[in-house]
Structure formats: C-alpha cells, structure tokens
Amino acid sequence: MYYEIRHYQARPGRRAEWVRYMEDVVIPFQASLGMDVTASFVDAEHEDGYVWMRRFEDEAQSEALYEAVYQNDRWKNEIGPAVRELLIAEKSVVTRVAPTPASPLR
C-alpha cells in the first residue's frame, strides 16, 4: 500500500476557485471511478498552494485507476482542460510515500 501526496500551485488568486472545482468535480469524478482520495488541504504557508492525497493498494491498482481516470473522455475533454486553466502544471510535485508499520494510515 502507498499514498500519493500531490502538491499543486493554483494560478495567482484562483485557489478558492480551484478548491471548489476539486471538491465539486475532480474528487467526485475520480472517486466514482474507484480512486481513493484520502485528504484535501489548502497550504497554510503558500497562498496559492494546495495539497491532496490518494491511496493505492499496489502498482497494478494505480495503473488501472490512472487509465480509468485520465483516459476517460470526460477527463480529456472537460475536466483536464479546466484543471490546466486553474493550475500551474509545471509547479506540481507528486511524492509517493508508504506508511510505516505503526502509522494510523496503514
């Protein structure tokens, strides 16, 4: 099991709009396809920062979910373009982490 911690930067002044879009569209869409979104945060230290986490059982599940989400016509034609409009994509950082044996996230 592992998690992805995804750090994003919204375009200046658009973080509130991004959070609404994530909560109203992106997270429900991904969850409807089986993605396990475990957390969503605004960055308290960076005014345009946003962080979210997703959980995967293994690499095979991750590959299947990536395919289901990012190859979906709705993602390609509607959601993906809106995401690119709201975020500075080149500032995104994705970190894969595995919980330690005593972690409550195990």
Side-chain angles (χ1 to χ4, degrees):
M1 169 201 341
Y2 65 90
Y3 291 82
E4 279 182 347
I5 301 174
R6 304 177 72 88
H7 300 262
Y8 292 168
Q9 183 174 333
R11 295 195 184 275
R14 299 189 76 183
R15 182 170 73 180
E17 184 181 356
W18 166 251
V19 170
R20 277 191 307 277
Y21 195 71
M22 274 296 287
E23 292 182 347
D24 294 346
V25 177
V26 175
I27 292 172
F29 170 74
Q30 290 196 11
S32 76
L33 296 172
M35 194 71 76
D36 184 358
V37 177
T38 57
S40 174
F41 308 95
V42 291
D43 187 328
E45 296 180 0
H46 300 95
E47 89 179 75
D48 294 316
Y50 175 82
V51 178
W52 64 309
M53 291 175 38
R54 301 190 298 192
R55 179 182 180 278
F56 300 97
E57 287 301 321
D58 54 33
E59 191 66 32
Q61 182 198 37
S62 146
E63 289 173 9
L65 289 171
Y66 265 68
E67 174 81 16
V69 168
Y70 299 114
Q71 296 307 311
N72 185 288
D73 285 340
R74 183 170 178 221
W75 183 270
K76 288 189 211 178
N77 299 319
E78 174 195 334
I79 299 171
V83 167
R84 288 187 293 280
E85 197 174 298
L86 292 166
L87 295 180
I88 302 172
E90 58 273 10
K91 297 221 175 175
S92 297
V93 176
V94 178
T95 305
R96 183 182 288 195
V97 296
T100 62
S103 173
L105 294 177
R106 201 119 186 71

